[in-house]
Amino acid sequence: MAVRPETVQALAEQIGAAVSTREKVRVWSMSAVERLRLDDGRTVILKYAVERFGAEPAIFRHAASHNVPVPAVLASAVQADGSAAFLLEDLGEQIREATLHDAAQAAVAIHRCPPMDSIPVLDQAALEALPTKALRTLEQLQAAGRWKEADTNGIRKALERLEGLASHRATGAELPPFGLCHSEFHPTSLHVTDRGPYLLDLARAFTGPGLLDLVSWQGTGDPMNLGKVTQLLNAYMDAGGPEEALADRGGLPAHRWAGGWFKLWVTEWFLEATLKYAATTEHDDSNQLGTLRDLKEALQCLADT
């Protein structure tokens, strides 16, 4: 992932400055963040990302216009390859780690934000389609000589079982909170300043059930903890979340419904990203194990016990 020097120069010119130095903050395979020091002494944040995440500047602006605490977009541009590059206000160093209360307040703020055009929608019909989409992507991976059938039998069987459950379990998807969702709602995406917490990393935002964000907070690397989902859900209600957030949906308690659909949604997205963006196969074995674990957790939540 790269940004052209002339793009950086053009962005700085949009705010009437020139760049003195550039410092890398974080670099991923599909995006990167730098801190720029300008000739007038100011610092700003430069972020650039592949075309898939090109809507992020517009999402930031939309969120800000509806009182969601996000850094201001100062300038933005689209590069020749479709990738996005933009400048954000520099919030400075974080003063402390985000708490459960911070998370609840931020979640309420973003879920109150109305939907916007041109971002994915995860409504009831889209939830129902997730296991079928994941199965088709698995078949495409296998057709490309990866994720061989003999190694992924458990994944296929889990997806087929979830496919049979999807129609019933997806009901209630559009109960409040249903609106703008962060999608990568992790402690690292909440930057706490002396003015309060700010939400970062909106590249994968979508319109859908806000309860999925509450599961996302604990991350995906460790086994899912439904007790932690319940804790955040209770804090979310204390912070002003809609009363419908506690309602059963799909015949399940809210925390269990959210946990199951989050794990299935993560699986479908990961399979698609692996097919389209993974350049090597060196991590395929461990990725298959992680995918099977996620699907088993989805079944523990969504299947009858």
Side-chain angles (χ1 to χ4, degrees):
M1 184 65 232
V3 61
R4 298 173 67 86
E6 55 266 36
T7 300
V8 179
Q9 178 181 344
L11 289 170
E13 289 174 354
Q14 287 185 44
I15 59 172
V19 177
S20 297
T21 59
R22 294 170 57 178
E23 172 194 350
K24 290 184 178 179
V25 178
R26 295 183 72 182
V27 178
W28 302 271
S29 60
M30 292 188 283
S31 65
V33 175
E34 298 182 14
R35 175 171 280 110
L36 307 183
R37 186 167 297 280
L38 306 178
D39 59 351
D40 59 10
R42 288 181 292 166
T43 59
V44 295
I45 297 299
L46 166 68
K47 187 169 185 179
Y48 43 101
V50 296
E51 182 178 6
R52 179 186 179 94
F53 301 140
E56 189 171 19
I59 298 169
F60 269 120
R61 289 180 172 121
H62 177 80
S65 71
H66 291 91
N67 300 314
V68 180
V70 293
V73 177
L74 306 176
S76 61
V78 178
Q79 300 194 101
D81 62 359
S83 59
F86 56 101
L87 300 182
L88 293 167
E89 69 170 308
D90 189 349
L91 299 173
E93 295 300 318
Q94 181 162 256
I95 62 171
R96 58 172 173 79
E97 296 295 320
T99 65
L100 201 68
H101 178 67
D102 295 325
Q105 286 188 314
V108 169
I110 195 166
H111 298 160
R112 283 177 176 167
C113 186
M116 62 178 291
D117 296 333
S118 74
I119 64 172
V121 177
L122 196 62
D123 55 11
Q124 181 174 332
L127 284 180
E128 287 182 30
L130 286 177
T132 302
K133 286 178 65 179
L135 281 166
R136 299 294 83 79
T137 305
L138 179 61
E139 291 170 359
Q140 289 176 279
L141 279 165
Q142 292 168 348
R146 303 177 62 184
W147 290 50
K148 296 179 181 180
E149 186 172 353
D151 300 328
T152 56
N153 189 48
I155 293 173
R156 179 181 56 79
K157 286 185 175 180
L159 286 170
E160 288 174 346
R161 189 175 176 200
L162 287 161
E163 193 175 32
L165 297 168
S167 178
H168 173 52
R169 293 305 193 205
T171 57
E174 290 153 54
L175 287 172
F178 187 88
L180 187 64
C181 295
H182 187 283
S183 136
E184 294 183 291
F185 190 64
H186 306 148
T188 55
S189 296
L190 202 57
H191 188 92
V192 184
T193 75
D194 54 9
R195 294 175 288 167
Y198 284 76
L199 279 163
L200 310 176
D201 303 328
L202 293 177
R204 286 184 55 205
F206 63 91
T207 296
L211 294 184
L212 301 192
D213 276 344
L214 306 187
V215 185
S216 175
W217 182 254
Q218 64 185 265
T220 57
D222 296 323
M224 182 172 57
N225 186 328
L226 288 179
K228 289 184 177 180
V229 179
T230 300
Q231 287 178 352
L232 183 49
L233 181 55
N234 289 336
Y236 181 79
M237 299 304 299
D238 290 341
E243 62 181 23
E244 296 93 337
L246 295 175
D248 289 0
R249 53 203 75 202
L252 296 170
H255 69 293
R256 188 173 149 194
W257 183 94
W261 281 112
F262 174 78
K263 286 295 183 176
L264 182 49
W265 172 72
V266 165
T267 295
E268 192 278 327
W269 188 92
F270 182 75
L271 287 173
E272 182 184 0
T274 299
L275 177 65
K276 293 183 177 179
Y277 299 107
T280 68
T281 62
E282 62 179 311
H283 300 298
D284 277 1
D285 288 347
S286 60
N287 287 341
Q288 288 165 20
L289 290 174
T291 298
L292 183 58
R293 183 205 67 198
D294 285 343
L295 289 173
K296 285 180 176 179
E297 290 183 336
L299 280 169
Q300 288 170 2
C301 291
L302 297 178
D304 291 321
T305 56

